[in-house]
């Protein structure tokens, strides 16, 4: 198997983030090019592109490559060998961020919505098998806690299409519609929860920025199963609009 090469995905960068509501020593890395080609034929090139970018997260700039900086066997399953220092901090502080964001959301008009969906908003609800199986899903993003001028303390966007696929030993996630679209990889974790690392596409962008190249686009969070055929992704401290995003993930069928 040939080692993969580093590359930077070309992307068109908007001047400001698209809004979701009106203002108020290791061996060679896996070669994932066949997966990219298959997804391109399906019209879903974003998730495999994000998978390759994440596996090559430290490539580019002055950072060492994963092959030279992580022990044998660390990739692809060990998310800690891929996550940036900033994202490890976000993950470590997720509970404090959740509590602060939820308090702001309740005081800002979201109390009834939070109380009406206890499984989604129970921060301690983690069921076994946290990684969703491959398939087509509907993803609804709920933003808790305002960040910046003109943003709401609580906002629930409509559901958009998203896709989950197997990428070798890992699972890829791509929100394929909507103004803000996370794409990336879901890593299993021995502690029971799964970990998401990815980047954010905005507006009419069609290719993902490599993870680790732009801290404003990097995303990190946890994936939990919260019910029968129901999952959520928790994204603490995103760069835009909110203090914490909760993404409800349910199958289309």
């Amino acid at each position: 198997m040939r080692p993969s090469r580093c590359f930077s995905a070309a992307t068109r960068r908007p001047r400001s983030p698209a809004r979701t509501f009106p203002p108020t020593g290791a061996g060679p890395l896996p070669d994932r090019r066949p997966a990219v080609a298959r997804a391109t034929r399906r019209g879903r090139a974003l998730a495999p592109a994000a998978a390759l970018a994440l596996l090559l997260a430290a490539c580019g700039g002055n950072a060492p490559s994963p092959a030279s900086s992580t022990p044998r066997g660390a990739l692809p399953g060990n998310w800690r060998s891929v996550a940036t220092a900033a994202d490890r901090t976000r993950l470590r502080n997720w509970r404090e961020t959740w509590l602060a964001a939820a308090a702001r959301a309740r005081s800002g008009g979201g109390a009834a919505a939070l109380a009406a969906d206890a499984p989604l908003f129970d921060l301690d609800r983690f069921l076994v098998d946290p990684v969703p199986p491959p398939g087509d899903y509907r993803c609804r993003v709920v933003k808790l806690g305002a960040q910046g001028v003109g943003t709401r303390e609580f906002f629930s966007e409509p559901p958009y299409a998203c896709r989950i696929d197997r990428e070798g030993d890992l699972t890829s996630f791509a929100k394929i519609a909507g103004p803000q679209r996370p794409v990336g990889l879901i890593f299993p974790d021995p502690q029971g929860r799964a970990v998401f690392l990815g980047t954010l596409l905005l507006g009419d962008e069609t290719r993902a920025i490599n993870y680790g190249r732009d801290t404003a686009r990097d995303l990190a969070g946890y994936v939990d199963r919260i019910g029968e055929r129901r999952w959520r992704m928790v994204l603490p401290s995103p760069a835009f609009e909110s203090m914490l995003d909760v993404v409800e993930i349910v199958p289309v069928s």
Side-chain angles (χ1 to χ4, degrees), residues 48-186:
L52 182 55
L54 279 167
L55 288 175
L56 302 177
C59 294
N62 296 321
S65 70
S68 63
S69 62
T70 57
R72 182 175 299 274
L75 289 176
N78 187 351
W79 64 267
R80 291 176 178 82
S81 67
V82 178
T84 64
D87 281 349
R88 289 196 296 272
T89 298
R90 282 199 275 196
L91 291 171
R92 187 164 54 249
N93 296 334
W94 77 274
R95 179 176 289 272
E96 292 81 1
T97 302
W98 178 303
L99 291 172
R104 293 270 294 272
R106 290 188 186 94
S107 65
L114 296 182
D117 197 343
L120 183 62
F121 298 111
D122 179 358
L123 77 169
D124 290 317
R125 188 173 180 83
F126 319 131
L127 303 181
V128 296
D129 300 325
V131 179
D136 294 312
Y137 290 79
R138 292 189 302 269
C139 294
R140 177 173 64 99
V141 178
V142 182
K143 294 180 172 289
L144 306 182
Q147 179 185 177
V149 178
T151 58
R152 300 179 184 178
E153 298 288 1
F154 175 86
F155 178 77
S156 178
E157 71 174 27
Y160 286 102
C162 55
R163 175 75 189 175
I164 290 177
D165 283 299
R166 290 296 298 173
E167 302 296 341
D169 298 325
L170 298 178
T171 299
S172 64
F173 171 89
K175 186 168 177 276
I176 55 180
Q180 296 185 1
R181 302 180 302 284
V183 296
L185 286 182
I186 299 173

Side-chain angles (χ1 to χ4, degrees), residues 27 29 35 85 90 117 150 167 183 185 193 196 219 241 247-248:
L29 299 181
R90 282 199 275 196
D117 197 343
E167 302 296 341
V183 296
L185 286 182
R193 306 179 77 186
F196 172 81
L219 295 170
E241 298 185 342
V247 185
E248 178 191 40

